[in-house]
Amino acid sequence: MTAERSADALIDEAARAAFQGWDFTWLAGRSDDPKTPWRYRALATDALARSTRALDIDTGGGEVLAGLAPFAGAVVATEGYAPNIPVAGARLRPVGIPLVGITSAPDNVNQHGATPADSGSHLPFRDDTFDLVLNRHSSYWPSEVARVLRPGGAYLTQQRGDGDDEILHMFGRAPSTGPDLDVAFAVRQLEDAGFEIVRAEASDARVRFFDVGALVYYLRAIPWIVPGFDVAADREALHRIHDAIQANGSFDVGSYRFFIEARTMR
């Protein structure tokens, strides 16, 4: 089989592969995603053990949250991506977590001058409902998180930044000219919403892909890394990446992540 046909086989396999929630098990053995210096699951578990009523914003397929059960207090989750709602509901129901479908907040870097009412993306809960809010890899309104938290309540979030310029160049995309979602930007937003920052850390790692199909699957799951990614339109670039993997053993993509723990000061 020629290298080009081998590339097409890998690309097409990944394009057909099912992706639900935030489950990356399909990539096992095909990529290497380094762990962050912090451990989100352990930090969330510790926080849930002290919580009486917690919220998980945009839970994805519920994989992470369900894996943290059992809980000391009550927990509720939201999800804004319609295909994930039945997946998350089925996964969370057995561990006693109700799921609420919502409209997700716009990207944090696009919120200047806007309000939750503009997009109907307010959190559908009363003021001071929770003592803990969790958010892993989803946009959020800092003001809404502050509103639903009780005085002194905790907010834990882990976020991914945008794609790096190297992969954007590989796919013929122009680098972003707007603000970057980084830890400094997120800290400013939270402080402006009345939060005290307890902890803020960032990690700038490289995710390694050992075949082009693994990269296709990753980009389907995290589309903001390469805006407008399309398997058909971007096939030529994928062939070039396949050739690079054949020559070098892997293709590396920047993966900026950060973690923040904050508390309401009301």
Side-chain angles (χ1 to χ4, degrees), residues 19-24 27 81 214-225 229:
F19 180 81
Q20 293 182 325
W22 199 252
D23 183 359
F24 289 87
L27 291 176
Y81 182 51
L215 178 64
V216 168
Y217 189 87
Y218 182 83
L219 294 179
R220 287 178 57 213
I222 312 176
W224 61 85
I225 300 296
F229 173 71

Side-chain angles (χ1 to χ4, degrees), residues 104-106 110-123 141 143-144:
S104 297
N110 296 328
Q111 293 176 4
H112 181 71
T115 68
D118 295 335
S119 57
S121 55
H122 65 283
L123 292 171
W141 289 104
S143 61
E144 280 292 280

Side-chain angles (χ1 to χ4, degrees), residues 4-238:
E4 182 175 340
R5 287 179 63 83
S6 176
D8 284 331
L10 290 164
I11 292 167
D12 292 340
E13 175 197 26
R16 292 190 301 267
F19 180 81
Q20 293 182 325
W22 199 252
D23 183 359
F24 289 87
T25 54
W26 193 87
L27 291 176
R30 303 177 72 163
S31 73
D32 177 29
D33 193 347
K35 293 185 181 298
T36 57
W38 60 89
R39 296 291 182 267
Y40 176 84
R41 293 182 190 227
L43 293 167
T45 297
D46 289 345
L48 285 163
R50 300 188 298 270
S51 170
T52 59
R53 188 164 180 80
L55 168 65
D56 186 36
I57 296 176
D58 282 348
T59 194
E63 303 88 356
V64 173
L65 185 59
L68 303 181
F71 307 105
V75 180
V76 63
T78 66
E79 177 54 35
Y81 182 51
N84 279 348
I85 291 175
V87 176
R91 182 171 281 118
L92 296 176
R93 200 171 300 116
V95 293
I97 303 173
L99 178 70
V100 181
I102 64 168
T103 298
S104 297
D107 290 345
N108 286 64
V109 295
N110 296 328
Q111 293 176 4
H112 181 71
T115 68
D118 295 335
S119 57
S121 55
H122 65 283
L123 292 171
F125 306 102
R126 295 179 179 178
D127 297 1
D128 302 338
T129 298
F130 304 100
D131 57 22
L132 172 66
V133 174
L134 303 173
N135 181 314
R136 184 175 180 268
H137 301 165
S138 179
S139 57
Y140 59 91
W141 289 104
S143 61
E144 280 292 280
V145 176
R147 179 183 64 78
V148 301
L149 274 171
R150 299 169 186 165
Y155 179 51
L156 274 63
T157 184
Q158 176 176 291
Q159 297 288 330
R160 286 180 179 266
D162 298 327
D164 62 13
D165 290 351
E166 180 182 346
I167 192 170
L168 291 172
H169 175 74
M170 181 69 76
F171 281 93
R173 307 299 199 270
S176 172
T177 57
D180 292 329
L181 179 60
D182 58 17
V183 68
F185 181 95
V187 162
R188 287 195 300 272
Q189 271 198 328
L190 288 167
E191 288 179 336
D192 288 345
F195 281 92
E196 175 188 18
I197 305 303
V198 177
R199 177 178 179 180
E201 296 184 40
S203 171
D204 202 355
R206 308 287 293 176
V207 182
R208 302 177 67 203
F209 297 94
F210 305 120
D211 70 74
V212 71
L215 178 64
V216 168
Y217 189 87
Y218 182 83
L219 294 179
R220 287 178 57 213
I222 312 176
W224 61 85
I225 300 296
V226 177
F229 173 71
D230 181 84
V231 169
D234 291 316
R235 191 166 290 253
E236 183 177 341
L238 292 169

